[in-house]
Short mmCIF file of all heavy atoms in Angstrom, two decimals:
data_model
loop_
_atom_site.label_atom_id
_atom_site.label_comp_id
_atom_site.label_asym_id
_atom_site.label_seq_id
_atom_site.Cartn_x
_atom_site.Cartn_y
_atom_site.Cartn_z
N HIS A 953 32.97 -182.32 -135.02
CA HIS A 953 32.97 -180.95 -134.53
C HIS A 953 32.30 -180.04 -135.55
O HIS A 953 31.44 -179.16 -135.30
CB HIS A 953 34.26 -180.55 -134.09
CG HIS A 953 34.39 -179.06 -133.77
ND1 HIS A 953 33.82 -178.71 -132.54
CD2 HIS A 953 35.05 -178.05 -134.24
CE1 HIS A 953 34.08 -177.34 -132.44
NE2 HIS A 953 34.87 -176.98 -133.41
N ASP A 954 32.88 -180.07 -136.87
CA ASP A 954 32.42 -179.20 -137.95
C ASP A 954 30.95 -179.38 -138.20
O ASP A 954 30.20 -178.36 -138.53
CB ASP A 954 33.09 -179.58 -139.18
CG ASP A 954 34.49 -179.00 -139.16
OD1 ASP A 954 34.95 -178.38 -138.27
OD2 ASP A 954 35.37 -179.41 -140.09
N ARG A 955 30.40 -180.63 -137.91
CA ARG A 955 29.12 -180.92 -138.19
C ARG A 955 28.15 -180.61 -136.96
O ARG A 955 27.01 -181.03 -136.90
CB ARG A 955 28.77 -182.30 -138.72
CG ARG A 955 29.42 -182.57 -140.09
CD ARG A 955 28.78 -181.56 -141.09
NE ARG A 955 27.36 -181.63 -141.35
CZ ARG A 955 26.76 -182.52 -142.01
NH1 ARG A 955 27.39 -183.45 -142.82
NH2 ARG A 955 25.45 -182.61 -142.12
N GLY A 956 28.75 -180.09 -135.92
CA GLY A 956 28.11 -179.66 -134.74
C GLY A 956 27.66 -180.74 -133.67
O GLY A 956 26.83 -180.67 -132.94
N HIS A 957 28.27 -181.86 -133.87
CA HIS A 957 27.91 -182.96 -132.94
C HIS A 957 28.79 -183.05 -131.67
O HIS A 957 28.45 -183.73 -130.74
CB HIS A 957 28.19 -184.32 -133.60
CG HIS A 957 27.14 -184.46 -134.84
ND1 HIS A 957 25.93 -184.52 -134.70
CD2 HIS A 957 27.40 -184.55 -136.23
CE1 HIS A 957 25.31 -184.57 -135.92
NE2 HIS A 957 26.30 -184.65 -136.77
N VAL A 958 30.01 -182.47 -131.70
CA VAL A 958 30.78 -182.27 -130.43
C VAL A 958 31.30 -180.86 -130.38
O VAL A 958 31.36 -180.13 -131.33
CB VAL A 958 31.99 -183.28 -130.44
CG1 VAL A 958 31.52 -184.66 -130.39
CG2 VAL A 958 32.98 -182.96 -131.58
N SER A 959 31.59 -180.47 -129.10
CA SER A 959 31.81 -179.13 -128.87
C SER A 959 33.23 -178.66 -128.87
O SER A 959 33.56 -177.41 -128.89
CB SER A 959 31.20 -178.58 -127.52
OG SER A 959 31.64 -179.56 -126.53
N HIS A 960 34.16 -179.58 -128.87
CA HIS A 960 35.62 -179.20 -128.90
C HIS A 960 36.29 -179.64 -130.12
O HIS A 960 35.96 -180.67 -130.69
CB HIS A 960 36.39 -179.87 -127.71
CG HIS A 960 35.83 -179.41 -126.34
ND1 HIS A 960 36.34 -178.37 -125.63
CD2 HIS A 960 34.76 -179.87 -125.61
CE1 HIS A 960 35.72 -178.16 -124.51
NE2 HIS A 960 34.73 -179.01 -124.47
N PRO A 961 37.33 -178.89 -130.59
CA PRO A 961 37.88 -179.32 -131.88
C PRO A 961 38.87 -180.39 -131.72
O PRO A 961 39.22 -181.01 -132.59
CB PRO A 961 38.74 -178.07 -132.40
CG PRO A 961 38.86 -177.11 -131.06
CD PRO A 961 37.71 -177.54 -130.16
N GLU A 962 39.34 -180.64 -130.49
CA GLU A 962 40.28 -181.79 -130.31
C GLU A 962 39.81 -182.74 -129.15
O GLU A 962 39.22 -182.27 -128.18
CB GLU A 962 41.63 -181.23 -129.84
CG GLU A 962 42.42 -180.54 -130.87
CD GLU A 962 43.12 -181.47 -131.76
OE1 GLU A 962 43.19 -182.76 -131.48
OE2 GLU A 962 43.46 -181.13 -133.00
N PRO A 963 39.91 -184.01 -129.24
CA PRO A 963 39.48 -184.98 -128.25
C PRO A 963 40.27 -185.10 -127.06
O PRO A 963 39.73 -185.25 -125.97
CB PRO A 963 39.36 -186.27 -129.00
CG PRO A 963 40.31 -186.07 -130.17
CD PRO A 963 40.47 -184.65 -130.51
N PHE A 964 41.66 -185.11 -127.19
CA PHE A 964 42.55 -185.48 -126.05
C PHE A 964 43.39 -184.41 -125.64
O PHE A 964 44.37 -184.03 -126.37
CB PHE A 964 43.36 -186.72 -126.54
CG PHE A 964 42.65 -187.84 -127.18
CD1 PHE A 964 42.93 -188.18 -128.49
CD2 PHE A 964 41.54 -188.43 -126.47
CE1 PHE A 964 42.21 -189.16 -129.16
CE2 PHE A 964 40.82 -189.46 -127.18
CZ PHE A 964 41.24 -189.81 -128.52
N GLY A 965 43.16 -183.74 -124.52
CA GLY A 965 43.84 -182.67 -124.03
C GLY A 965 45.27 -182.96 -123.70
O GLY A 965 46.11 -182.43 -124.15
N ARG A 966 45.45 -184.02 -122.76
CA ARG A 966 46.76 -184.30 -122.34
C ARG A 966 46.89 -185.86 -122.74
O ARG A 966 46.07 -186.61 -122.45
CB ARG A 966 46.91 -184.21 -120.84
CG ARG A 966 48.28 -184.54 -120.25
CD ARG A 966 48.27 -184.14 -118.79
NE ARG A 966 49.54 -184.60 -118.33
CZ ARG A 966 49.85 -184.67 -117.01
NH1 ARG A 966 48.87 -184.64 -116.11
NH2 ARG A 966 51.06 -185.08 -116.55
N LEU A 967 48.10 -186.12 -123.25
CA LEU A 967 48.46 -187.51 -123.69
C LEU A 967 49.83 -187.96 -123.09
O LEU A 967 50.78 -187.20 -123.05
CB LEU A 967 48.61 -187.53 -125.21
CG LEU A 967 49.05 -188.83 -125.70
CD1 LEU A 967 47.97 -189.94 -125.81
CD2 LEU A 967 49.49 -188.63 -127.13
N VAL A 968 49.75 -189.09 -122.53
CA VAL A 968 50.99 -189.61 -121.90
C VAL A 968 51.21 -191.07 -122.44
O VAL A 968 50.20 -191.89 -122.51
CB VAL A 968 50.86 -189.62 -120.41
CG1 VAL A 968 52.18 -190.33 -119.78
CG2 VAL A 968 50.90 -188.29 -119.92
N ASN A 969 52.41 -191.29 -122.96
CA ASN A 969 52.76 -192.72 -123.36
C ASN A 969 53.44 -193.47 -122.28
O ASN A 969 54.50 -192.98 -121.88
CB ASN A 969 53.61 -192.64 -124.66
CG ASN A 969 52.98 -191.97 -125.85
OD1 ASN A 969 53.26 -190.98 -126.28
ND2 ASN A 969 51.89 -192.77 -126.28
N GLN A 970 52.89 -194.55 -121.98
CA GLN A 970 53.70 -195.32 -120.95
C GLN A 970 54.81 -196.16 -121.74
O GLN A 970 54.65 -196.42 -122.87
CB GLN A 970 52.75 -196.45 -120.20
CG GLN A 970 52.63 -197.72 -120.96
CD GLN A 970 51.20 -197.83 -121.43
OE1 GLN A 970 50.61 -196.90 -121.77
NE2 GLN A 970 50.83 -199.09 -121.67
N GLY A 971 55.88 -196.32 -121.00
CA GLY A 971 57.03 -196.99 -121.70
C GLY A 971 56.85 -198.45 -121.75
O GLY A 971 55.88 -199.04 -121.09
N MET A 972 57.58 -199.13 -122.57
CA MET A 972 57.42 -200.52 -122.71
C MET A 972 58.09 -201.28 -121.53
O MET A 972 59.15 -200.82 -120.99
CB MET A 972 58.17 -201.00 -123.96
CG MET A 972 57.56 -202.27 -124.59
SD MET A 972 58.81 -202.94 -125.78
CE MET A 972 59.55 -201.50 -126.57
N ILE A 973 57.42 -202.34 -121.06
CA ILE A 973 58.08 -203.16 -120.08
C ILE A 973 58.79 -204.34 -120.83
O ILE A 973 58.13 -205.04 -121.43
CB ILE A 973 56.94 -203.69 -119.15
CG1 ILE A 973 56.47 -202.56 -118.41
CG2 ILE A 973 57.67 -204.73 -118.12
CD1 ILE A 973 55.45 -202.98 -117.32
N LEU A 974 60.18 -204.43 -120.46
CA LEU A 974 60.78 -205.55 -121.13
C LEU A 974 60.90 -206.72 -120.24
O LEU A 974 60.49 -206.65 -119.14
CB LEU A 974 62.35 -205.17 -121.39
CG LEU A 974 62.40 -203.71 -122.18
CD1 LEU A 974 63.98 -203.38 -122.26
CD2 LEU A 974 62.00 -204.06 -123.68
N GLY A 975 61.46 -207.81 -120.83
CA GLY A 975 61.56 -209.10 -119.85
C GLY A 975 62.71 -208.79 -119.01
O GLY A 975 63.35 -207.81 -118.79
N GLU A 976 63.05 -209.90 -118.18
CA GLU A 976 63.99 -209.76 -117.12
C GLU A 976 65.33 -209.58 -117.84
O GLU A 976 65.65 -210.05 -118.98
CB GLU A 976 64.08 -211.17 -116.35
CG GLU A 976 62.89 -211.29 -115.49
CD GLU A 976 63.10 -211.15 -114.02
OE1 GLU A 976 64.22 -210.87 -113.68
OE2 GLU A 976 62.16 -211.56 -113.26
N MET A 977 66.32 -208.86 -117.13
CA MET A 977 67.64 -208.83 -117.63
C MET A 977 68.26 -210.21 -117.89
O MET A 977 68.07 -211.12 -117.10
CB MET A 977 68.44 -208.11 -116.57
CG MET A 977 69.97 -207.74 -116.97
SD MET A 977 69.87 -206.40 -118.10
CE MET A 977 70.00 -204.97 -116.91
N GLU A 978 68.89 -210.30 -119.06
CA GLU A 978 69.54 -211.61 -119.46
C GLU A 978 71.11 -211.27 -119.56
O GLU A 978 71.41 -210.43 -120.30
CB GLU A 978 68.86 -212.19 -120.62
CG GLU A 978 67.43 -212.55 -120.55
CD GLU A 978 66.86 -213.03 -121.88
OE1 GLU A 978 67.65 -213.54 -122.68
OE2 GLU A 978 65.58 -212.88 -122.11
N PHE A 979 71.83 -212.41 -119.19
CA PHE A 979 73.15 -212.49 -119.56
C PHE A 979 73.43 -213.46 -120.66
O PHE A 979 72.93 -214.62 -120.52
CB PHE A 979 74.06 -212.83 -118.29
CG PHE A 979 73.98 -211.76 -117.29
CD1 PHE A 979 73.28 -211.90 -116.16
CD2 PHE A 979 74.68 -210.52 -117.40
CE1 PHE A 979 73.25 -210.90 -115.13
CE2 PHE A 979 74.62 -209.60 -116.50
CZ PHE A 979 73.91 -209.79 -115.32
N THR A 980 74.09 -213.11 -121.74
CA THR A 980 74.36 -213.99 -122.78
C THR A 980 75.73 -214.18 -123.07
O THR A 980 76.47 -213.30 -123.38
CB THR A 980 73.63 -213.53 -124.08
OG1 THR A 980 72.23 -213.23 -123.75
CG2 THR A 980 73.57 -214.66 -125.17
N GLY A 981 76.20 -215.45 -122.99
CA GLY A 981 77.60 -215.73 -123.44
C GLY A 981 77.58 -216.53 -124.81
O GLY A 981 76.48 -216.87 -125.22
N TYR A 982 78.70 -216.63 -125.44
CA TYR A 982 78.59 -217.12 -126.85
C TYR A 982 79.82 -218.36 -126.85
O TYR A 982 80.78 -218.29 -126.26
CB TYR A 982 79.11 -216.21 -127.99
CG TYR A 982 77.89 -215.16 -128.04
CD1 TYR A 982 77.90 -213.98 -127.30
CD2 TYR A 982 76.82 -215.50 -128.80
CE1 TYR A 982 76.89 -213.04 -127.42
CE2 TYR A 982 75.77 -214.54 -128.95
CZ TYR A 982 75.73 -213.34 -128.19
OH TYR A 982 74.70 -212.47 -128.30
N ARG A 983 79.25 -219.41 -127.38
CA ARG A 983 80.25 -220.65 -127.56
C ARG A 983 80.45 -220.80 -129.00
O ARG A 983 79.73 -220.74 -129.80
CB ARG A 983 79.45 -221.85 -127.06
CG ARG A 983 79.49 -222.03 -125.55
CD ARG A 983 79.21 -223.66 -125.15
NE ARG A 983 78.97 -223.71 -123.77
CZ ARG A 983 80.04 -223.92 -122.90
NH1 ARG A 983 81.24 -223.86 -123.43
NH2 ARG A 983 79.79 -223.97 -121.66
N ALA A 984 81.86 -220.92 -129.22
CA ALA A 984 82.30 -221.07 -130.55
C ALA A 984 81.99 -222.54 -130.94
O ALA A 984 81.51 -223.38 -130.21
CB ALA A 984 83.76 -220.93 -130.68
N ALA A 985 82.07 -222.77 -132.34
CA ALA A 985 81.71 -224.10 -132.81
C ALA A 985 82.43 -225.28 -132.09
O ALA A 985 81.85 -226.35 -131.84
CB ALA A 985 82.13 -224.15 -134.43
N GLY A 986 83.68 -224.99 -131.70
CA GLY A 986 84.40 -226.05 -130.98
C GLY A 986 83.92 -226.26 -129.62
O GLY A 986 84.47 -227.23 -128.83
#
Side-chain angles (χ1 to χ4, degrees):
Chain A
H953 177 63
D954 287 356
R955 294 300 304 272
H957 298 297
V958 296
S959 53
H960 297 268
E962 288 283 342
F964 314 119
R966 183 178 179 200
L967 173 74
V968 173
N969 293 118
Q970 88 252 24
M972 205 194 327
I973 296 182
L974 305 174
E976 296 249 2
M977 184 73 91
E978 295 179 24
F979 295 104
T980 312
Y982 292 91
R983 279 200 189 274

